[in-house]
Amino acid sequence: LSLSVNACVDVVLSGVKLLEALGLEPSDGKNHAVLTSRQDLREAFSHFMERGAAAERFFSDAEAFRDIARTASEHPAAQLYVGGNAALIGQKLATNPDLKILLCGPVGPKLHELLDDNVVVPPESMQERDEFHLILEYQAGEQWGQVRAPTANRFIFSHDLSNGALNMLEVFVSSLDEFQPDLVVLSGLHMMEGQSKEMRHRRLMEAVASISDIPTDIPIHLELASMTDQDFMSNIMHQQVFPLVNSIGLNEQELLFLTQSAAGPHASLASWSGIPEVGVVSDILFWILKEHGKAAERASDLTRIHFHTLAYHILATVDGHWGNQAAAVAAGARAAGTQACATDTIDTSKVFLKAPLEFLTSHTEAPAKISLDPDKPVVQWHREGISFHFSPVLVCKDPVRTVGLGDAISAEGLLYSEVYPQ
């Protein structure tokens, strides 16, 4: 099995502790699209902590970032983890002793030490320095100066150039002959948003050329992540990446952004209120597979979408291409509960059900109304050659760690999915 293309070390630390260790005083909040200095970091952290909102920013000054990263990674309260969607999916799959994983991403000494023994890193992917992503956490009610956080959340920043340019993609594709994988997982396209438009366009074309070189009998899964540029998303979807991959993993933010970027169904919805409605989600999934998925009149390989949100998961597949969907969607839902609570199996005292017990399967077609049966929690329905498998999630009441949860869910779902040779 094989993986690409983003990898880093996540340094998880209390934001207030890091800012104090850097000798920074509390200040008024101010949003910065790019961080250029410690001053910007202090203002942006304040801004988002005050709102209890998550955010991710690029830190442009390499030297200043390196000093901050050193302070953070050496802080006694810091925890260091494997980071980057591809590396996280690799780590999750590596817990299965029968799998060998090839990881092509910028791997420095610390990351190499953190990776599972089943994860193989080609020599061309090794570099002298780690790419650090700093994840500054704050708790609900925590204070810093005048700022008080309404909810717990995190502020992430990095100076990560190699992941942003997808530097390892060619190394990855050239390793495939030797490695002979059963599956390729791609991620990290969202990291390209830090590049200029020209650079990004050129790099995306090169990426598409590389992905096209992957033998067609190897299924490719693309893990999406948070993005802000609608044109870029629309490019990935229309011309370029979607038709080349067999499977996609995404959450509710990415799904809504996708339909807004391409004027799909429910595109006028500005944001979800509460738990995303199953019927709305299923309309958008149906539209992606109908408009961009595999069809007689279209050169596309896309036949599978694994959607995850806190309360439930849906696996949507074009008929005739995948098997074992009920087990796959249930395995993903189980992984969400166990990983968030950091337990080996689901501990029923630590989880609760947030999924709707009744829902409509669509908001545009004549829908079916479905009621959940606790004895048969995976529900399925069909629509014009596309099957939907739905599973509620047993949600962890007090999550220990939520970073990389989507990656763990997608990895587990892939592990149980059976691809039919075409």
Side-chain angles (χ1 to χ4, degrees):
L1 175 85
S2 180
L3 282 176
S4 174
V5 163
N6 63 338
C8 60
V9 175
D10 279 346
V11 182
V12 183
L13 178 65
S14 145
V16 172
K17 280 188 176 149
L18 174 64
L19 293 169
E20 285 171 349
L22 293 168
L24 294 170
E25 300 287 321
S27 75
D28 289 342
K30 185 175 176 205
N31 189 2
H32 294 276
V34 172
L35 309 178
T36 59
S37 63
R38 292 180 172 209
Q39 183 60 28
D40 287 359
L41 168 63
R42 174 173 93 160
E43 292 173 353
F45 178 77
S46 236
H47 173 87
F48 288 103
M49 179 175 176
E50 196 162 15
R51 287 160 180 73
E56 190 160 345
R57 291 289 181 268
F58 181 72
F59 197 105
S60 60
D61 182 331
E63 222 27 64
F65 178 77
R66 202 167 290 144
D67 289 343
I68 296 170
R70 189 176 304 120
T71 303
S73 60
E74 290 169 2
H75 195 289
Q79 292 172 299
L80 273 61
Y81 297 104
V82 170
N85 310 74
L88 284 162
I89 291 176
Q91 276 294 80
K92 178 70 182 167
L93 291 169
T95 55
N96 185 315
D98 304 329
L99 294 181
K100 266 277 178 269
I101 285 103
L102 176 78
L103 177 67
C104 298
V107 176
K110 186 71 208 172
L111 178 57
H112 204 221
E113 185 188 311
L114 292 169
L115 286 169
D116 191 283
D117 293 344
N118 281 346
V119 178
V120 179
V121 180
E124 306 89 321
S125 276
M126 301 293 282
Q127 53 182 45
E128 283 171 34
R129 286 206 177 99
D130 281 286
E131 295 288 354
F132 287 109
H133 286 208
L134 305 192
I135 298 171
L136 306 191
E137 298 189 317
Y138 50 83
Q139 302 311 312
E142 188 175 349
Q143 281 200 259
W144 188 48
Q146 300 301 302
V147 173
R148 189 168 183 277
T151 53
N153 220 320
R154 55 182 190 255
F155 179 80
I156 303 176
F157 67 104
S158 68
H159 174 80
D160 186 337
L161 295 173
S162 37
N163 281 311
L166 289 178
N167 277 346
M168 297 295 166
L169 190 60
E170 283 81 2
V171 169
F172 173 68
V173 175
S174 64
S175 316
L176 295 182
D177 283 350
E178 193 187 333
F179 202 78
Q180 297 284 314
D182 302 311
L183 168 72
V184 164
V185 178
L186 293 175
S187 68
L189 291 177
H190 62 291
M191 297 291 297
M192 295 167 77
E193 286 198 327
Q195 311 280 343
S196 71
K197 266 213 161 29
E198 296 70 38
M199 164 79 175
R200 194 168 62 193
H201 183 72
R202 198 194 79 218
R203 203 59 195 113
L204 191 60
M205 297 311 290
E206 292 169 359
V208 163
S210 277
I211 297 164
S212 307
D213 288 343
I214 297 171
T216 47
D217 57 339
I218 304 173
I220 303 173
H221 173 81
L222 170 69
E223 192 65 21
L224 289 177
S226 168
M227 292 172 77
T228 54
D229 184 324
Q230 291 200 342
D231 292 339
F232 185 45
M233 182 75 242
S234 175
N235 273 349
I236 287 174
M237 185 168 171
H238 283 105
Q239 300 118 305
Q240 295 169 312
V241 184
F242 277 27
L244 295 177
V245 303
N246 306 81
S247 168
I248 290 173
L250 42 60
N251 70 14
E252 73 282 5
Q253 289 336 108
E254 292 135 26
L255 186 77
L256 189 56
F257 184 66
L258 218 153
T259 196
Q260 290 165 347
S261 303
H266 311 290
S268 58
L269 193 63
S271 64
W272 303 107
S273 58
I275 297 167
E277 281 189 66
V278 177
V280 172
V281 167
S282 119
D283 286 338
I284 303 173
L285 295 174
F286 176 77
W287 161 77
I288 298 171
L289 289 174
K290 261 298 183 240
E291 291 294 314
H292 301 279
K294 196 172 182 72
E297 71 283 0
R298 188 184 311 119
S300 170
D301 291 327
L302 181 61
T303 50
R304 176 186 187 272
I305 304 175
H306 188 165
F307 168 83
H308 46 86
T309 182
L310 182 67
Y312 64 85
H313 298 172
I314 296 176
L315 189 55
T317 48
V318 177
D319 291 350
H321 295 274
W322 297 86
N324 212 34
Q325 293 98 316
V329 76
R334 184 180 58 196
T338 53
Q339 175 142 336
C341 279
T343 54
D344 289 337
T345 54
I346 296 276
D347 176 344
T348 49
S349 67
K350 292 185 174 175
V351 293
F352 68 113
L353 207 57
K354 265 182 100 98
L357 301 180
E358 276 194 338
F359 57 83
L360 297 174
T361 55
S362 167
H363 282 238
T364 54
E365 297 286 297
K369 187 172 190 184
I370 287 182
S371 302
L372 280 191
D373 172 357
D375 293 330
K376 294 198 217 53
V378 176
V379 184
Q380 63 166 313
W381 63 94
H382 293 275
R383 185 168 163 189
E384 293 176 39
I386 293 170
S387 296
F388 294 84
H389 288 76
F390 167 101
S391 171
V393 172
L394 291 164
V395 181
C396 186
K397 289 178 194 165
D398 298 303
V400 179
R401 181 152 183 263
T402 56
V403 177
L405 200 53
D407 303 308
I409 290 164
S410 286
E412 196 73 359
L414 283 166
L415 204 51
Y416 282 81
S417 288
E418 183 185 356
V419 63
Y420 296 148
Q422 294 303 316

